[in-house]
Amino acid sequence: MKSTSNYLRCEGRELHYMAWGDPAAEPVIAWHGLARTGRDMDELAAHLSQSGRYHVICPDTIGRGLSQWSPDPDAEYCLPFYVKLATSLVDQLGLPSFHWVGTSMGGAIGLLAAATTLRQRIRRLVLNDIGPELAEPAVQRIRSYAGNPAAFDTVSELEQYFRQIYAPYGWISDTQWRRLTESSVRRLPDGRVTPHYDPAMVRQFFVHPDDYKRWTEWDSLSLPVLCLRGETSDLLLPETAEQMRVRGPRAVVVTIPGCGHAPALNAPAHFSVVERFLEGG
C-alpha cells in the first residue's frame, strides 16, 4: 500500500509523519510509544489502508524519529504539549473527525486529547497497553533505558539490543526487527549508532511526575474505547484495566496473548480486533 513521507510545522516545531492510503478515506491517527517512531505503525497502517476505507497518519512525536527536537524540553516533552501538536496537525490536515490508535504514550496523548481540545472529534479511541494510571515499577524500568540510550559500533549490535529490550512486544519477524532498527537509528558524532530520539524526552517523568495520572479525564469521556492489554504487561495492570472497563467510557478490554508492554500491532490477530472496533463491531 502506498505511503508518503511528510512534514508540517505545528506549534512552531516541525513534525514528520507517514501517511498511508487514500487521503479521501476515513482518517485514523496512529501514534507510537515513548521512545519509538511512527514507523512502528507500518504494518497496521498498511493493513487498514489496503481496503481503501482508511487513510492512516502516523506522526513522529517531537524529539523522536525525523521530527524536530525541542529546544525547551522541560516545557514541551509532556502530554499537554503533545496534545497541542496533535491538535495543530489534524487542524492543518483539515480533519474534522477521526479515529485514534495509540500505543503507550501515543494512547495517553489520545486520551488527554479526547478529554480536552479534540473532544467530540476523536470518534473511536484505541489504547494499546496504556490507561489513566501506570505501574510505577514499569515506569522506573522504562526510565532506566530511555533516559540513557545505549550506543553501539554497528547497526547489527543495535538490532540485538532492540530485540532484548523490546522482547515484551511479542512475536516480531526478522524482517520487522530489521525495519524497526533501521527506522529508528541515528549516528553519533563518534560514529557509533543509538536509538533515534532525544534523551531529554525522559525528563517528562521528573518535571511532570503526574503527567500520566488521568483518571479525571478518563471519567469525563463518553466515546467508544478499546483497551488492548498485553497478557504479561507490567505497565497496565489487570486491576487498572478492570477499572477502565467499569468507569468512565467503560472500555472494551481485550487481552493480547504472548506479549507484555506493548503489543506490536503487527499480526493479523491484532489487525482484526482493531479493525472490528473501528468499524463499530
Side-chain angles (χ1 to χ4, degrees):
M1 177 52 60
K2 180 182 177 182
S3 64
T4 62
S5 177
N6 311 268
Y7 295 85
L8 268 180
R9 199 158 185 83
C10 302
E11 295 292 324
R13 308 287 176 243
E14 184 177 80
L15 286 191
H16 171 257
Y17 67 95
M18 298 296 295
W20 295 77
D22 182 358
E26 196 172 349
V28 177
I29 304 297
W31 210 293
H32 65 84
L34 180 74
R36 300 299 310 139
T37 81
R39 295 296 306 279
D40 282 10
M41 297 293 186
D42 277 11
E43 281 82 17
L44 179 66
H47 176 82
L48 290 177
S49 61
Q50 70 183 355
S51 68
R53 174 164 183 171
Y54 297 108
H55 179 54
V56 188
I57 297 146
C58 308
D60 290 342
T61 311
I62 185 174
R64 286 80 163 178
L66 299 179
S67 288
Q68 183 179 355
W69 287 19
S70 174
D72 190 2
D74 286 359
E76 295 183 358
Y77 290 149
C78 61
L79 294 183
F81 190 73
Y82 299 155
V83 169
K84 286 185 178 181
L85 294 172
T87 303
S88 175
L89 178 68
V90 296
D91 284 350
Q92 291 188 64
L93 293 176
L95 307 180
S97 66
F98 42 88
H99 303 303
W100 187 291
V101 179
T103 292
S104 194
M105 178 196 71
I109 298 169
L111 190 165
L112 181 58
T116 55
T117 57
L118 297 180
R119 183 178 287 273
Q120 313 271 317
R121 293 176 65 182
I122 297 179
R123 295 169 53 200
R124 287 178 170 261
L125 175 63
V126 179
L127 302 178
N128 184 24
D129 213 64
I130 191 72
E133 180 180 342
L134 309 184
E136 187 57 32
V139 173
Q140 295 297 331
R141 173 180 62 80
I142 294 168
R143 280 169 50 175
S144 70
Y145 73 79
N148 186 28
F152 301 93
D153 291 333
T154 68
V155 174
S156 297
E157 289 172 293
L158 180 64
E159 179 180 323
Q160 291 306 311
Y161 169 74
F162 281 148
R163 284 175 179 254
Q164 175 187 351
I165 64 168
Y166 294 137
Y169 284 12
W171 178 86
I172 297 178
S173 71
D174 289 343
T175 298
Q176 289 168 348
W177 278 118
R178 181 61 46 85
R179 182 186 48 75
L180 181 152
T181 303
E182 292 180 347
S183 64
S184 55
V185 59
R186 66 184 177 91
R187 198 168 292 278
L188 296 166
D190 65 6
R192 294 181 300 162
V193 291
T194 194
H196 204 326
Y197 64 82
D198 180 0
M201 61 85 177
V202 81
R203 290 190 54 75
Q204 176 184 20
F205 295 101
F206 300 95
V207 181
H208 309 275
D210 296 329
D211 216 8
Y212 286 88
K213 296 178 181 177
R214 298 292 175 180
W215 281 114
T216 298
E217 289 83 1
W218 176 259
D219 289 333
S220 79
L221 297 179
S222 58
L223 78 169
V225 179
L226 170 65
C227 172
L228 305 176
R229 180 180 179 272
E231 181 179 27
T232 58
S233 175
D234 62 345
L235 190 80
L236 179 61
L237 299 181
E239 52 266 35
T240 304
E242 176 61 17
Q243 283 295 302
M244 294 169 70
R245 192 181 66 81
V246 300
R247 285 178 61 170
R250 292 187 169 91
V252 174
V253 177
V254 175
T255 298
I256 306 297
C259 60
H261 180 77
L265 301 185
N266 65 330
H270 305 164
F271 304 155
S272 61
V273 69
V274 171
E275 199 165 26
R276 282 197 307 269
F277 175 75
L278 295 183
E279 291 172 355

